[in-house]
Structure formats: C-alpha cells, structure tokens
Amino acid sequence: MADPVLLARLSAAALTDEGTRKRTGWVIAVVFSPLILVLALLCSLAAGGSSGNTSAVELCFSGGELPPDTPEEYAAAIEDMRTSFALLDEAAAAVNEQLEGGESLDALRVKAIFYVLYFGAEVHGDAQSFVDCFVSRGPQLVPVTDLEEIYRRTGVVTPEQQANAEAVYNLVRYGSAGGIGGSDAPFIGADGFCSPVGENWRNIVTSEFGYRKDPFTGQTKGHSGMDLAVPTGTSVRAALPGTVTISQYSSSYGYYVMIDHGGGLATLYAHNSRLLVKVGQTVNAGDIVSLSGSTGRSTGPHLHFEVRVNGERTDPRSYLP
C-alpha cells in the first residue's frame, strides 16, 4: 500500500498553486485522510512505556512533550499541526471580535476539521481563509451553523471524512470518539454481530422490544425495536456486513438507515442526527453508518435499533453481543 502521508502531501500540493486554489476553493482531494486518521488515532507513537498510548490527536490539541522515540515523520506532522492551530486560533479570535450578540466560533470544530484534512500534509493553506469558511459575510457577520454547509465549504466531502471530523471533535471535547458515553472501537461478538453503540449497550437500554406504553399516547402498543440512550452525535455502527437499502428521513423514524445482510436478515438504525452512508453502499461490521440524534417521532436523544428476519421484526437482544 502507498504511504498515506505521502499521498496526502501529493493531494495538498495543489494548494501551492494560487490558480488551482482559487478554482477549487477548499475542496482538496485528500481521499486518503481516513487512513491517516486511523493511523494517528490507533497507532502507538512510542515503542513502549506509558507514553505509547498518547495519540497524535491528543498531542496536537493538548500540547505536551512528544515521546523521545516518536518517528521523525509523525513528530514533524504534529509540530506542523500545532503551528497551524496557533494561526487558526488567531484568525478565529479576529473573527469573533467582529461578531455581535455574544456569538463566537467553535474553535474546536474549526481545528478538528482542519486536522482531518491536513494532518501529514506538507502545505496547510491560509488560516484566515479557512476560518472564513465558518462565517457568512453580509450586512452582518454571522457564524455558519449548518454543519453540512461547513463541510461543503471546507472540503470535507466524503462520509469517511465527516465521520473522522466528528470522531476527532468528540475525542477532544468529550474524551471519546463516539461522544459522551460513546465507544472508540467496535464491540463485536464471537458470531460477528456488532453492537451499534459499543459494549456498554446493556446499561443504556431504555425501552425493550415488545409491548410497552407509548410515550406519546400512553396506550399499550408494540415496540418494533430496542431503544438505546446515547447522546446526539454518538457513532452508530453497522451490526453485520451488508448493503445499505435505505438512508433517508421519515416522520416516524427521523433520519434512518436500513442494511440488508443477506439471508433475509436486515437491521435498522433510527432517529439519527446525521446519515453517513448512501443507498447501494456496502459496509462491514463496525463501520460507522450514522450519528445518533432525536429526529422523527422521538422524545429525546437515543438510537432505535431493529432486527428484521424476512421482514418480521424480532428482539435485537437475541443478536447483540
């Protein structure tokens, strides 16, 4: 496999050309950023000792001394990112001075997206221009609050890049790539079935499959899945390998995903805040397919998880690891 850092550098090289930068804006072709991020998040930067668990994300965002045996290339990438973060903070502060009504930019969001696009890249571009992607200039300067619009402006164009940006943001803000109470890694049982929200799923069940009192009407009614209490923005993972058959919004499920696993087995993930896969896309067990939320017919942030066998809804508890 080609060196992902080298590939990122080649992709970022276009930014050195002023004409190319103006034509493409901040949409750069760092299609290998998921590889870089996974490497930075999961690989040990030191050969041994307690410092070996220090990730590149923590070193970039929180500072601190690099382990003495950090590979030279990663040390350089971390130092470059720290320098860029200082410039981004200055640019964000300048923008905040122009905002009215006590509004301010989420500087952590700015840096998390920047990290995903540029970690390991040789050229990072202009900090002020990047920060300007997070504000709208009109009669009055206002922050852009639509995350999809921010992603479009900055060049986070793939579902993988978006998932990585969320993971970095959550890791720094909450200490977990999955958000508050989220899981950093897939939890997969011996039979290959993956919990959509990590190994702690048993402790966050708020409503079982079967008959229950409907939270809206108070009447006894069948519940087609299992509700798992997770904060908005928690990573939701595919239970098994399969093909996405539905990725859309409905008035009841909100933003939801359905995956066909073959043999008549399908799973459904509902009430999400964001969908990260498209119809026809193939996924593996543990892949992040959405971010949890409270859309549709929902009383609060949670994941509604269904297992269907030949179209019939069945108890997910019988399948979860």
Side-chain angles (χ1 to χ4, degrees):
M1 180 182 292
D3 184 350
V5 175
L6 176 61
L7 290 168
R9 287 178 173 173
L10 292 174
S11 299
L15 292 176
T16 61
D17 177 74
E18 184 67 23
T20 300
R21 185 161 63 245
K22 287 182 178 179
R23 286 193 299 272
T24 61
W26 286 100
V27 181
I28 64 172
V30 189
V31 295
F32 290 92
S33 64
L35 297 177
I36 299 170
L37 178 59
V38 168
L39 206 58
L41 282 171
L42 302 181
C43 286
S44 170
L45 293 182
S50 60
S51 62
N53 292 324
T54 303
S55 73
V57 171
E58 293 169 334
L59 289 167
C60 289
F61 282 82
S62 303
E65 188 174 345
L66 274 65
D69 47 357
T70 300
E72 182 178 348
E73 192 164 22
Y74 285 105
I78 290 167
E79 292 296 346
D80 286 347
M81 190 57 57
R82 287 175 172 179
T83 300
S84 293
F85 279 1
L87 296 174
L88 288 170
D89 283 336
E90 291 179 7
V95 167
N96 286 338
E97 290 180 357
Q98 303 175 55
L99 296 175
E100 299 180 0
E103 292 186 297
S104 63
L105 297 181
D106 186 344
L108 178 56
R109 179 75 69 185
V110 174
K111 290 187 282 191
I113 294 176
F114 190 91
Y115 178 93
V116 167
L117 288 174
Y118 296 111
F119 181 83
E122 196 166 274
V123 179
H124 291 177
D126 177 64
Q128 186 64 63
S129 297
F130 190 81
V131 169
D132 283 345
C133 294
F134 294 78
V135 292
S136 292
R137 297 182 180 274
Q140 182 176 334
L141 192 68
V142 295
V144 177
T145 57
D146 184 349
L147 196 53
E148 291 292 344
E149 175 65 13
I150 290 174
Y151 284 154
R152 185 190 66 77
R153 289 176 172 215
T154 56
V156 181
V157 293
T158 70
E160 291 82 4
Q161 287 175 324
Q162 293 181 18
N164 287 341
E166 290 295 324
V168 171
Y169 181 84
N170 288 333
L171 181 64
V172 178
R173 169 142 290 179
Y174 304 118
S176 165
I180 301 174
S183 173
D184 290 353
F187 176 58
I188 303 178
D191 60 354
F193 200 95
C194 179
S195 163
V197 290
E199 62 181 327
N200 191 45
W201 69 266
R202 295 177 185 83
N203 298 324
I204 56 175
V205 177
T206 56
S207 186
E208 297 278 2
F209 172 83
Y211 285 96
R212 66 167 184 175
K213 182 180 289 186
D214 187 283
F216 287 93
T217 66
Q219 298 177 350
T220 300
K221 186 178 180 182
H223 186 221
S224 58
M226 175 183 284
D227 288 347
L228 300 156
V230 287
T232 296
T234 299
S235 298
V236 176
R237 299 179 183 274
L240 289 167
T243 302
V244 177
T245 56
I246 298 176
S247 181
Q248 65 183 38
Y249 182 87
S250 81
S251 58
S252 57
Y253 282 134
Y255 289 107
Y256 76 108
V257 172
M258 182 178 286
I259 303 173
D260 179 10
H261 305 292
L265 183 65
T267 53
L268 182 146
Y269 315 78
H271 304 307
N272 298 284
S273 61
R274 189 176 308 282
L275 304 178
L276 301 178
V277 292
K278 297 179 180 179
V279 172
Q281 183 174 336
T282 58
V283 296
N284 293 315
D287 284 355
I288 300 173
V289 297
S290 62
L291 301 177
S292 64
S294 184
T295 57
R297 195 171 184 268
S298 171
T299 57
H302 73 285
L303 172 69
H304 173 85
F305 178 58
E306 291 186 13
V307 176
R308 300 184 182 185
V309 179
N310 296 321
E312 294 292 327
R313 296 168 175 85
T314 188
D315 191 350
R317 189 174 282 274
S318 303
Y319 294 84
L320 286 164

